[in-house]
Amino acid sequence: MAVVEIRQLYKAFGEVNAVNDVNLTIQEGEFLVLLGPSGSGKTSLLRMIAGLEKPTGGEIRIGGVVVNELPPRARKIAMVFQSYALYPHMTVYNNIAFPLRSVGMDRINIQTRVERAAKMFNIYHLLQRKPRQLSGGERQRVALARAVVREPDVFLLDEPLSNLDAKLRALARDELKQFQRQIGVTTVYVTHDQVEAMGMGDRVVVMNYGRVQQIGTPQALYRAPANTFVATFLGSPPMNLVEQDNCIIGFHPEHFLPKGIDQHMQSPITIPFEVTRVEYLGSERFLYGYVQGVGERTRVVSNIPSLVQLAIEAGRTYDFVADLHDLSYFDKMSGDRIAPVRLQIAQAAGV
Amino acid sequence: MIRKAGQTGLTYFLITLFILFTAFPFYWMLITTFKNDNELYRNREANPLVFNQAPTLDNLRLLFNNTNYQTFVENSLKVGIAVVVITVLLAVPASYSLARLAGAWGERLGIMIFMVYLIPPTLLFIPMSQIVSFLGLRDSLWSLIVIYPTFTVPFCTWLLMGFMKSIPVDVEEQAMVDGYSRFGAILRVVFPLALPGILTVVVFAFTLTTHEFIYALAFITTSSQKVISTGVTSELIRGDVFFWQAIMGAGLLVAIPVALVYNLFLDRFIAGFTMGAVTGK
Ligand SMILES: Nc1ncnc2c1ncn2[C@@H]1O[C@H](COP(=O)(O)OP(=O)(O)O)[C@@H](O)[C@H]1O
Ligand SMILES: [Mg+2]
């Protein structure tokens, strides 16, 4: 277990700045998620922590020691690749034992440890199989078992669930998180899936174009996104953004509700909402349409829990409300979060 | 149903044709080896595909007692093994480096190296013979051991590059994370996974060496230093007299083991060739 510190880290591949001035401290035992779209530099950052890629500039410390010049094997890390990278020519047993053999552990100790890890991940019955005889979920467990068996200081995972089907993924997410709590090892988890990030991370680092956009707890990111990129990357559907003068106003779909169910709101504002399409998704209802009371006429989404029985039809305009306290404000030029501005709400009389 | 049966029948018919076509030379060599001169040369009316007179071992006796055949085989084996060792020692690290470390240039270099293989030995043996003289290796098996790698190494490097590329980088990096140096990772992960390729290269370098003729003819004249390809042809063709039965026997005895090994590795061979081809994307 160790603190990982990253200072002014850069990585350039030719013209591309894959990682651009990243500063980050990962606390002991923390589950930190790197979240960003494909190509945002997550893998590059993780690989630099692992020692598989040399930084162009900056410093990485693990447990207080600068590791820039250390090869992967000297960093006391374990990594799970997106492909799981199981050794195809070895049995599951030998795959898990492989890291232990590198440190010259004796046979009996190896066996004890491998069997313990295999039991922990429910793959004891697979120990004599070859990787190609395993399903995707089983491979993922073998990769995890191999990663923990050496009791690393830092655990690095690159999209470990992206090769599983949706059903298995939800289950694996839960197991992985529980398991990390149990052993309490510092973990860096890379994903492009915001649901995974929000659900698993103690803190989430949102990246784009190699730069850190925001670091914070899932709640903090959700409540107060640092810029429009973070605002539109999180949530499904993401935050609605409406332009007004040289400022952008943001509100979450689930904070934009029909008038009448706004009892909990402290300072509700009323905005007319022209509904064009209704989507029923069981636990919730998505309403697509336009607002034009605030700023310009803009396409937005409202997410109403199915508890609200109110009948709403496409093609009509309703009075909706949002809480002033739930609004976010961004600068139109930079996209960065700014202090609240005065809203001009025109009660669109003609609609 | 009927159409399917017809198709199967046609398939078997074609396969039979191919088998006859490829097996016929072996059969021809086999019966010729045991025919006596009288039957082979004078009996023109009789069916040449079968024995019309009693088979004889005289020709094999001639081959083993009156020529250096055993020495030729030994020499071919010595040269073959030495060349295989040199080829593997050079081609394995070279192909790994080209596939993994040299980036986009590795690809181009690999193709350029392969081009070297395409230069015909008929062009190269003149400069090569100067080098052999300069090294003082004329009339010595060592001349072949030095020269043969000039075409086995480029070809086998190119062939192995395909195999090396098919080994995922992830797996190698995983080994480095799991506590091994790059060399350790290569030794424990890359080599075992490249083994089919390495075996292919062993077989290929060996056969390429044993059937080579021009260099062997140009550099070696002493009978005791000759290899099969030149020894048999020079000792069993005296002037315009061909000892056909002994020549056939000599060829058959070395061709059969090689053919068997080839068959054993055929699938991997093809895999190796196509992999090499795919990397040229
Ligand atoms: N080995 C490499 N050579 C050249 N460019 C690379 C290499 N690895 C990554 N990149 C580039 O760096 C950027 C970040 O890639 P990556 O770290 O893989 O992002 P992510 O994991 O977030 O999808 C991308 O533009 C990618 O094309
Ligand atoms: Mg990635």
Side-chain angles (χ1 to χ4, degrees), chain A residues 13 16 18 37-44:
Chain A
F13 293 106
V16 183
S38 169
S40 56
K42 311 178 295 290
T43 297
S44 302

Side-chain angles (χ1 to χ4, degrees), chain A residues 73-230:
Chain A
R73 65 179 185 280
R75 297 189 180 197
K76 301 194 78 179
I77 46 144
M79 183 159 171
V80 175
F81 287 74
Q82 191 169 1
S83 63
Y84 306 143
L86 301 180
Y87 307 115
H89 57 303
M90 297 182 195
T91 59
V92 168
Y93 182 94
N94 284 328
N95 262 280
I96 302 174
F98 195 67
L100 299 177
R101 298 216 167 99
S102 77
V103 292
M105 190 178 283
D106 63 81
R107 209 173 253 278
I108 298 180
N109 256 323
I110 289 181
Q111 185 170 357
T112 326
R113 290 244 210 150
V114 171
E115 286 176 356
R116 200 172 57 210
K119 279 181 188 141
M120 189 184 322
F121 288 98
N122 251 324
I123 47 171
Y124 190 79
H125 57 294
L126 304 172
L127 282 177
Q128 293 318 316
R129 296 228 196 134
K130 289 277 181 72
R132 65 170 178 282
Q133 299 166 307
L134 304 177
S135 71
E138 289 164 347
R139 285 179 199 181
Q140 184 243 350
R141 285 152 183 274
V142 174
L144 286 174
R146 181 178 59 184
V148 301
V149 77
R150 210 161 45 122
E151 297 174 358
D153 282 352
V154 183
F155 207 26
L156 306 172
L157 302 133
D158 192 355
E159 313 215 7
L161 306 184
S162 63
N163 288 330
L164 303 181
D165 55 56
K167 218 171 174 180
L168 209 52
R169 204 179 306 160
L171 188 68
R173 194 161 72 207
D174 179 46
E175 283 178 353
L176 191 62
K177 181 68 196 180
Q178 273 189 24
F179 151 78
Q180 191 267 348
R181 282 236 179 81
Q182 210 176 327
I183 64 168
V185 63
T186 310
T187 302
V188 184
Y189 183 102
V190 163
T191 181
H192 65 263
D193 180 348
Q194 53 97 15
V195 178
E196 244 171 54
M198 301 296 268
M200 295 174 87
D202 294 330
R203 282 190 305 155
V204 176
V205 178
V206 183
M207 293 186 66
N208 195 27
Y209 293 120
R211 285 183 182 278
V212 171
Q213 305 295 316
Q214 189 171 7
I215 306 176
T217 61
Q219 296 84 336
L221 299 192
Y222 180 78
R223 223 181 30 241
N227 54 38
T228 48
F229 174 79
V230 177

Side-chain angles (χ1 to χ4, degrees), chain B residues 31-32 34-56 245:
Chain B
I31 59 163
T32 309
F34 297 103
K35 281 181 176 176
N36 62 39
D37 284 346
N38 193 16
E39 168 166 13
L40 189 64
Y41 295 118
R42 291 182 203 104
N43 197 352
R44 299 239 166 148
E45 273 76 54
N47 179 0
L49 292 176
V50 295
F51 287 110
N52 298 293
Q53 297 173 15
T56 172
Q245 302 99 310

